[in-house]
Amino acid sequence: RGAGAVAPGAAQIHHGRVSGAAAVCAAGVRHAGALPHPPGRALNAMQAYALLLAATLNAGTVLALAALGLLINEKAGIVNLGAEGIMLCAALAGFATVVHTGSDWLGFAAGAGAGALLAAAFGALVIWLGANQYAAGLALSLFGGGLSAFAGIGYVQERLPDRPRFDWLGLGDVPFAGPALFRHHPLVYLTALLALALVWLLWRTRAGLVLRAVGEAPQSAHALGYRVRPIRLAAVTAGGALCGLAGAYLSLAYTPLWAEGMVAGKGWIALALTTFATWRPARVLLGAYLFGGVTMLQLHLQGQGVQWPSQLMTMLPYLATIAVLALISRNPAWIRANMPASLGKPFHPAG
């Protein structure tokens, strides 16, 4: 059932268009007969790289949305280790909503709402009740995994309505650029715009200054009259909504199906991305595309017939995450210079 479940979503290609995470495999030797054969080896290679780039942007969007949400949390001084559980519950909420309503946008709204609700509950625990942020985050991750597995049993065999096809500005058929850049879901482009908007918000607006002050020196922000706890809760809720949006994108666009544990560690990779990017939104976006490229590279290499053990290929994204964290950990002073000073520290207002 595991092999067949992917067929209607991630591995499908209609008229040469990419539709999900594993579509890049179609450029490989195993599926060469399913695609038209443009004359010349160079054109075949160009098509393969266009599919690889398209799949990289798709995979990077999931990581970028979740990591940007976690960045907002951490800029406010809150560490949320529950991204994996939030994304799983949101993926199920979005998928179930589309199954019953047929509306993708209601599905994305449901995913974002589920993420915001779980994050708000987490925020109430750690901000007002003083629960340990790391323990509460791990508990949320385990809770989300268990809840989604139990509630999603009835949706494993469900199928979504036909997925929409996109051809922006009529450029979808342009060689290389068309399939690589102009056939994506709108959320792919909105995620890039969101990263730029966060750069402007955090460093060019008063609201961003207050948010950073709450994460750097909450006692000083409180002394100036800012309500630190509600601001932190708002940041945690907004970050949870973005994690939920990432989960919904995963089950509605990236691989349009529901399967238990389908997030497969992406929440943890997103958490590592915030440190890798030194809490900068633009770097988060670039890092997400880098990790997305590594994820898709394993599929591309398998499709090209590279004789490496499949287990090693599957490990590539996680090995890359560990390697990057090990490298940046060699310079702790650099991390401390960029990390919010009160990250992970509880705030107790004086008086």
Side-chain angles (χ1 to χ4, degrees):
R1 186 170 67 184
V6 183
Q12 272 189 338
I13 287 191
H14 298 272
H15 307 296
R17 301 190 180 203
V18 180
S19 173
V24 69
C25 291
V29 175
R30 302 177 201 171
H31 304 281
L35 292 174
H37 293 277
R41 183 174 298 177
L43 289 180
N44 281 325
M46 184 173 70
Q47 185 181 44
Y49 286 123
L51 292 173
L52 177 60
L53 178 57
T56 294
L57 294 177
N58 267 323
T61 296
V62 177
L63 296 174
L65 278 170
L68 289 172
L70 294 173
L71 182 142
I72 294 173
N73 290 354
E74 295 186 9
K75 278 294 184 182
I78 302 296
V79 176
N80 186 355
L81 301 184
E84 186 85 0
I86 290 175
M87 291 173 69
L88 280 167
C89 288
L92 175 60
F95 186 85
T97 299
V98 176
V99 166
H100 293 294
T101 68
S103 170
D104 276 23
W105 297 111
L106 283 179
F108 284 116
L117 182 64
L118 288 171
F122 164 80
L125 284 174
V126 302
I127 296 170
W128 265 279
L129 300 181
N132 182 277
Q133 294 182 22
Y134 302 97
L138 288 172
L140 176 58
S141 184
L142 295 172
F143 170 79
L147 177 63
S148 62
F150 174 74
I153 292 174
Y155 292 97
V156 173
Q157 300 290 349
E158 293 287 346
R159 292 193 177 189
L160 296 177
D162 290 340
R163 299 292 79 204
R165 305 291 164 187
F166 301 99
D167 184 356
W168 300 104
L169 305 175
L171 299 175
D173 293 324
V174 174
F176 186 82
L181 301 174
F182 295 105
R183 293 179 181 173
H184 293 291
H185 191 278
L187 207 53
V188 173
Y189 309 106
L190 291 176
T191 299
L193 292 177
L194 175 64
L196 298 177
L198 275 178
V199 172
W200 174 79
L201 174 70
L202 290 173
W203 282 278
R204 292 291 185 270
T205 68
R206 182 179 181 84
L209 178 63
V210 171
L211 181 66
R212 288 187 290 124
V214 164
E216 293 285 348
Q219 294 291 353
S220 299
H222 177 69
L224 290 173
Y226 294 109
R227 302 176 65 193
V228 172
R229 284 178 167 177
I231 291 171
R232 283 188 163 183
L233 181 62
V236 168
T237 304
L242 287 180
C243 288
L245 201 57
Y249 181 82
L250 187 65
S251 64
L252 299 181
Y254 181 66
T255 51
L257 53 86
W258 165 252
E260 179 182 341
M262 66 182 298
V263 174
K266 291 179 177 64
W268 299 109
I269 294 178
L271 189 67
L273 261 178
T274 58
T275 305
F276 165 73
T278 60
W279 295 271
R280 304 279 177 158
R283 295 177 187 173
V284 164
L285 186 65
L286 293 175
Y289 291 147
L290 174 63
F291 281 95
V294 172
T295 302
M296 291 300 101
L297 182 61
Q298 56 157 321
L299 298 173
H300 179 73
L301 293 176
Q302 287 176 355
Q304 294 296 329
V306 175
Q307 298 301 314
W308 285 3
S310 60
Q311 294 85 352
L312 179 61
M313 304 283 257
T314 305
M315 288 168 56
L316 279 178
Y318 308 101
L319 290 175
T321 303
I322 295 170
V324 166
L325 289 176
L327 286 173
I328 63 177
S329 297
R330 297 182 63 184
N331 191 352
W334 181 63
I335 294 179
R336 284 196 300 269
N338 291 279
M339 182 178 67
S342 295
L343 181 61
K345 298 177 182 178
F347 168 72
H348 304 290

